[in-house]
Amino acid sequence: MNTPARPFAAPTHRSEPAVRCPPVPPDGPIPAAEPSCEPLSEHAPGPPPSLGAPARTTGGPTAPPAPGARPAPPALAAPPGARPPSLLSPGVARDPYPVFRLLRESHPLARDELLGAWAVSRYEDVWRALVRPWLVAPPPGRTLVHLEGATHLAHRALVEPGVRGRALAALAGGVSRGAHVLARRIAAHREADLVAEFCRWLPTAAVVSALGLPHEDAARVHAWCYGGLTHLGGHHHDLDACLRPHLARRRERPGDDLLSVLCTAEVDERPLSDSTVTGLVGALLGGGGDATALALGSFLANLLDHPDTLALVRERPELTPAAWAESLRRDPPAPVVLRRAIRPVVVAGAPLPAGAVVACLVGAAGRDPARFADPDRYDILRTDQGGLAFGAGRHSCLGAELAGRVAAYGLHALLDAMPGMRWAPGFRPAPQGLLTRGPRSLLVRPG
């Protein structure tokens, strides 16, 4: 197989002068930082807790790209005094990584007037913004992320053991069965689109199985997952109506599925309300919808682009989690994550007022050479793994564990059914999108 690139000399994290921004009303417009804004003295921040220092080595040239690897775009340099580019400029959604690189290197905190947000792009700064308690996601309605303090932590503590514990057997069985059914169906075709026929269906089947919902509900739930549900939760009228009879039955006769875990759980010696349970279910279904499908598509594309790596994962299935994590780092399904300040905060060393919108460039952070060696390279054996694709802190996606298992079971079901799976002649994946990103089609030959 191709020998993965070993770490090389990475540039040190630079500290840029921050700007002092004038205050604005909480819901008012956010003024752009003027060139004459007063700089704030600031020491370069240290690595985020528990993440360790950025991986660095000394000496040695950059390793040549592996066969099939996408070439890195040329480096960009901002002319002195130039305004930072907007993420909404033409062509950026087709390939945002050159702009991400320019922002990370020359404008680590930049006002994007077209987007109406402050863009932050370096790994440490993005991580810190994602874990800031006063930077919250702007979802519709009252959802899980609006629950503050001990109440929020208590609700998360109920869901996460349910995903990792009592409902895990049901999840594993359901995902495995669904993945093999879909894979065998694809294997019968001369040519298949993995996005349309596999990636967009398997995540929904996984969550439906984990919740213990009837198989016949999968098609309806699948439509809702692509009709407004997100990993932030919220309520969907049709989903609420679908779940209501199941909630009543689980409260009377609970089982081992995740819905039973939620229906029998208590916070402060009181059971969760039906509204809270359906909100949490909406978060899991949202996390198991489009985001997981896009991430799964990028995961399969990265492996098919690197046949030697795919062969290694087939031979050593224990490397699957590393291959999945590396794909999330390099090609996250949500390269730009928006947050809104509910009170004044400091981001990338600069004070921002309440109401400010912050665009956390997860895609730029995942390819920050101050954190990752040879960051554009897909290397499942790298020693500096990490990433922010499913969030961090209190805003981390509750469906991340589900997504990882969907990816693992899905990949190996495809390899079992189609051991010679490869790209269709002449096909190359073309990821698209900015707020959500991934290949829209993956044409393969089963063997």
Side-chain angles (χ1 to χ4, degrees), residues 1 86 126:
M1 61 165 288
S86 171
V126 172

Side-chain angles (χ1 to χ4, degrees), residues 235-254:
H235 291 278
H236 189 290
H237 177 74
D238 292 332
L239 175 63
D240 293 354
C242 173
L243 289 177
R244 198 170 297 121
H246 296 296
L247 296 178
R249 285 194 288 269
R250 295 303 198 284
R251 293 191 190 281
E252 292 180 3
R253 300 176 59 184

Side-chain angles (χ1 to χ4, degrees), residues 9 38 48 60 79 100 106 120 170 175 196 200 214 218 235 287 296 369 386 394-395 409 411 421:
E38 176 187 357
F100 285 169
S106 302
V120 59
V175 176
R200 290 179 64 87
H235 291 278
L296 181 58
R394 70 194 297 274
H395 297 303
Y409 283 109
L411 171 64
M421 181 176 61

Side-chain angles (χ1 to χ4, degrees), residues 105-377:
E105 294 178 355
S106 302
H107 306 280
L109 178 66
R111 173 64 181 172
D112 190 322
E113 293 293 347
L114 291 178
L115 187 62
W118 292 90
V120 59
S121 49
R122 292 179 178 171
Y123 184 92
E124 291 179 9
D125 296 332
V126 172
W127 182 87
R128 293 179 191 280
L130 290 174
V131 301
R132 283 275 194 273
W134 310 124
L135 283 173
V136 303
R142 183 171 179 80
T143 68
L144 181 63
V145 296
H146 287 87
L147 301 174
E148 302 296 339
T151 303
H152 173 86
L153 295 176
H155 284 77
R156 287 195 68 94
L158 289 171
V159 177
E160 290 173 343
V163 172
R164 297 186 176 96
R166 288 164 53 189
L168 201 55
L171 168 67
V175 176
S176 180
R177 287 191 299 272
H180 280 88
V181 168
L182 291 172
R184 286 195 296 269
R185 186 179 303 165
I186 292 172
H189 301 167
R190 181 174 180 272
E191 188 170 290
D193 183 350
L194 293 181
V195 170
E197 301 179 53
F198 192 81
C199 297
R200 290 179 64 87
W201 281 98
L202 184 57
T204 301
V207 180
V208 167
S209 175
L211 292 168
L213 298 178
H215 176 72
E216 53 267 25
D217 285 342
R220 287 194 298 163
V221 174
H222 176 77
W224 300 332
C225 285
Y226 293 92
L229 287 174
T230 75
H231 75 275
L232 300 173
H235 291 278
H236 189 290
H237 177 74
D238 292 332
L239 175 63
D240 293 354
C242 173
L243 289 177
R244 198 170 297 121
H246 296 296
L247 296 178
R249 285 194 288 269
R250 295 303 198 284
R251 293 191 190 281
E252 292 180 3
R253 300 176 59 184
D256 294 328
D257 55 80
L258 181 54
L259 195 58
S260 296
V261 173
L262 298 176
C263 286
T264 57
E266 295 183 349
V267 174
D268 297 330
E269 300 182 351
R270 298 179 59 184
L272 301 180
S273 67
D274 284 359
S275 176
T276 298
V277 172
T278 55
L280 292 169
V281 169
L284 286 171
L285 287 170
D290 196 42
T292 301
L294 289 168
L296 181 58
S298 294
F299 176 51
L300 296 174
N302 276 318
L303 289 172
L304 287 165
D305 269 350
H306 300 80
D308 291 343
T309 301
L310 180 60
L312 178 63
V313 173
R314 180 189 291 113
E315 295 167 6
R316 298 176 57 189
E318 69 274 13
L319 291 176
T320 303
W324 168 247
E326 174 69 347
S327 185
L328 291 176
R329 176 201 66 82
R330 184 179 183 273
D331 298 291
V336 178
V337 175
L338 299 179
R339 294 287 186 260
R340 184 177 180 87
I342 59 175
R343 62 175 60 181
V345 295
V346 175
V347 176
L352 297 181
V357 177
V358 177
C360 301
L361 306 190
V362 172
R367 300 195 188 191
D368 187 346
R371 174 63 176 84
F372 302 101
D374 201 0
D376 292 325
R377 184 182 178 87

Side-chain angles (χ1 to χ4, degrees), residues 382-443:
R382 67 170 56 248
T383 58
D384 53 351
Q385 286 191 341
L388 304 170
F390 279 98
R394 70 194 297 274
H395 297 303
S396 59
C397 177
L398 293 174
E401 179 81 9
L402 297 178
R405 292 185 174 272
V406 165
Y409 283 109
L411 171 64
H412 290 286
L414 289 172
L415 294 177
D416 287 346
M418 301 179 290
M421 181 176 61
R422 64 189 187 278
W423 289 131
F427 177 80
R428 295 295 300 165
Q432 301 175 30
L434 187 64
L435 295 181
T436 59
R437 182 173 179 81
R440 269 35 181 190
S441 64
L442 296 174
L443 299 182

